[in-house]
């Protein structure tokens, strides 16, 4: 079964074609980063308009690269949420319309389920059950995964998501948008010598809180001399605090559940230090760590095509409605 995947939930237009037995046959991504960087963040209306411009050409490119015509496509999966309403509607309306004209099913996919399943596209995919740490611009979730659609939320951020904390801290340091990769590049020039807190690690539970780290950074930054080295040291110390905090909570989740597999996905999982810190922890726990390849950590169409394909093969069906849900708790999935 060939499934076309469409991702337009935020500032990336992602398209891919996945085959249930032969795997990924093509994927294309257009990032709007350059356009939004003039404004210091994502401008929703501009995002929607750009998705309209890019989506159909990317679909045509994917079909051409896979050497397929539309008649080979057996289903279309699209990100229906969570995300920006206008941006979601572009993907949803396009997917639903193509599905209607090609006479194939269309399926609404949860963006975070896409991230969660992204490591399944790799050569050595994790077996169920596992713990998933999903760290993106909008979410920080610890989930116990028994199988596709069987997700038990163990913990989440009570305020800023991990990516949001990176983005806001980067802005504060004058690094611009997108903040995560910029802050992490600066951190490589610095030494993590400032003692940042590890929020909510001194009490039981698996929830996170990252907004305090941003305030802590602001206070340190305001009190320090504004040299490049000081900025790099602050970035390194902030990054180490996030990496440590995530590791402590993941270790706790592994120990509490007795599971030995940890999957880490979402845009922030592209961060080298977070990867290294989790790898070290997992090693000590005699567990295994799974990541998507770097280009599938951030938003992409391949993860949506994969998730949709699994659900279509399991017999899931949907009506003709155009489904878009900006807020959609992962715990409501089944
Ligand atoms: O998954 P994603 O592409 O979009 C959402 O679903 O939100 O994640 C985007 C987030 C942004 O906050 C971005 O700053 C962060 O991932 N990010 C990073 C890195 N690359 C992307 N954060 C830290 N280090 C990185 N290398
Ligand atoms: Zn995402």
């Amino acid at each position: 079964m060939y499934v076309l995947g469409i991702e337009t939930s935020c500032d990336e237009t992602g398209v891919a074609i996945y085959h249930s037995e032969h795997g990924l046959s093509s994927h294309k991504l257009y990032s709007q980063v350059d356009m939004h960087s003039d404004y210091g963040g994502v401008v929703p209306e501009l995002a929607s308009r750009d998705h309209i411009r890019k989506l159909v050409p990317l679909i045509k490119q994917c079909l051409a690269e896979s050497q397929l015509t539309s008649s080979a496509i057996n289903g279309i999966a699209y990100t229906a949420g969570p995300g920006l309403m206008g941006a979601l509607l572009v993907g949803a309306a396009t997917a639903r319309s193509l599905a209607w004209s090609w006479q194939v099913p269309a399926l609404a996919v949860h963006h975070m389920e896409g991230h969660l399943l992204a490591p399944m596209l790799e050569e050595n995919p994790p077996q169920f059950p596992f713990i998933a740490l999903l760290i993106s611009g909008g979410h920080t979730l610890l989930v116990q995964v028994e199988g596709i659609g069987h997700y038990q939320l163990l913990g989440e951020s009570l305020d800023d998501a991990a990516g949001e904390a990176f983005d806001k801290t980067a802005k504060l340091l004058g690094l611009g948008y997108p903040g995560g990769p910029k802050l992490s590049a600066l951190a490589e020039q610095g030494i993590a010598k400032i003692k940042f807190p590890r929020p909510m690690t001194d009490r039981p539970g698996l929830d996170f809180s990252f907004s305090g780290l941003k305030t802590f950074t602001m206070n340190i930054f305001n009190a320090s001399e504004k040299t490049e080295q000081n900025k790099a040291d602050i970035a390194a110390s902030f990054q180490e605090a996030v990496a440590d905090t995530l590791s402590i909570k993941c270790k706790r989740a592994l120990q509490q559940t007795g599971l030995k597999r940890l999957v880490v996905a979402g845009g922030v999982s592209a961060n080298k230090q977070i990867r290294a810190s989790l790898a070290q922890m997992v090693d000590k726990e005699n567990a295994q760590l799974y990541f998507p390849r770097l280009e599938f950590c951030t938003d992409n169409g391949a993860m949506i095509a994969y998730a949709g394909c699994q659900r279509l093969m399991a017999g899931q069906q949907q009506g003709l409605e155009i489904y878009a849900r900006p807020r959609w708790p992962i715990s409501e999935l089944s």
Side-chain angles (χ1 to χ4, degrees):
M1 171 192 278
Y2 275 112
V3 176
L4 173 70
I6 293 177
E7 157 63 41
T8 63
S9 66
C10 189
D11 57 350
E12 255 116 22
T13 318
V15 178
I17 298 175
Y18 180 86
H19 188 270
S20 49
E21 273 133 55
H22 307 126
L24 203 58
S25 71
S26 59
H27 72 97
K28 296 276 167 207
L29 187 82
Y30 177 80
S31 170
Q32 304 177 351
V33 158
D34 287 346
M35 180 180 70
H36 296 297
S37 65
D38 290 346
Y39 305 91
V42 179
V43 183
E45 181 59 23
L46 293 183
S48 316
R49 286 166 190 256
D50 211 46
H51 286 309
I52 292 174
R53 274 190 290 270
K54 298 295 177 341
L55 185 53
V56 171
L58 287 183
I59 294 171
K60 284 183 177 163
Q61 282 176 33
C62 273
L63 283 169
E65 197 174 293
S66 298
Q67 299 186 318
L68 297 173
T69 58
S70 56
S71 60
I73 301 295
N74 306 103
I76 304 181
Y78 63 94
T79 302
L84 301 170
M85 185 49 145
L88 290 168
L89 276 172
V90 176
T94 307
R96 191 55 270 171
S97 312
L98 285 177
W100 171 258
S101 71
W102 296 351
Q103 308 254 303
V104 295
L107 203 73
V109 170
H110 191 290
H111 181 78
M112 297 312 288
E113 181 177 52
H115 277 305
L116 190 157
L117 295 175
M120 298 297 189
L121 293 161
E122 302 308 322
E123 251 177 42
N124 177 25
Q127 306 273 308
F128 297 115
F130 55 74
I131 297 292
L133 171 69
L134 305 179
I135 35 181
S136 71
H139 296 84
T140 305
L141 306 172
L142 256 175
V143 186
Q144 183 169 343
V145 180
E146 297 294 335
I148 291 181
H150 297 276
Y151 310 129
Q152 191 192 341
L153 187 63
L154 302 176
E156 62 187 324
S157 180
L158 303 178
D159 40 55
D160 291 353
E164 194 179 354
F166 265 94
D167 293 339
K168 288 179 174 171
T169 304
K171 203 168 198 172
L172 222 131
L173 297 176
L175 301 179
Y177 161 91
K182 288 192 173 160
L183 190 142
S184 122
L186 179 64
E188 285 186 20
Q189 317 297 319
I191 302 165
K193 60 184 185 192
I194 308 158
K195 188 77 194 119
F196 271 59
R198 273 55 176 158
M200 295 186 69
T201 54
D202 56 353
R203 60 183 106 158
L206 295 168
D207 286 332
F208 303 89
S209 164
F210 289 111
S211 71
L213 285 183
K214 173 190 65 195
T215 316
F216 193 87
T217 311
M218 189 168 70
N219 293 337
I220 296 278
F221 185 54
N222 287 342
S224 69
E225 208 186 319
K226 307 287 179 291
T227 63
E228 276 310 300
Q229 191 56 51
N230 278 347
K231 245 163 73 168
D233 291 346
I234 294 172
S237 308
F238 165 85
Q239 183 172 265
E240 192 186 72
V242 176
D244 256 12
T245 305
L246 293 172
S247 277
I248 293 167
K249 295 285 173 162
C250 286
K251 178 175 166 185
R252 209 176 272 177
L254 290 171
Q255 289 178 345
Q256 273 183 21
T257 57
L259 293 176
K260 290 288 180 192
R261 284 182 285 266
L262 176 65
V263 160
V264 185
V268 185
S269 68
N271 184 281
K272 279 191 216 152
Q273 191 180 356
I274 292 174
R275 285 178 170 242
S277 154
L278 289 168
Q280 218 177 24
M281 177 280 288
V282 157
D283 219 33
K284 281 194 197 138
E285 293 299 303
N286 272 327
Q288 277 167 316
L289 185 59
Y290 299 86
F291 285 112
R293 71 192 81 163
L294 280 182
E295 64 181 327
F296 293 161
C297 285
T298 42
D299 293 349
N300 64 85
M303 65 186 194
I304 303 303
Y306 178 84
C309 184
Q310 302 313 306
R311 285 184 170 270
L312 285 167
M313 284 196 306
Q316 189 168 331
Q317 289 182 355
Q318 242 157 24
L320 291 176
E321 75 274 23
I322 293 168
Y323 198 71
R325 209 171 150 187
R327 288 180 187 279
W328 186 3
I330 197 168
S331 49
E332 287 183 17
L333 279 181
S334 58

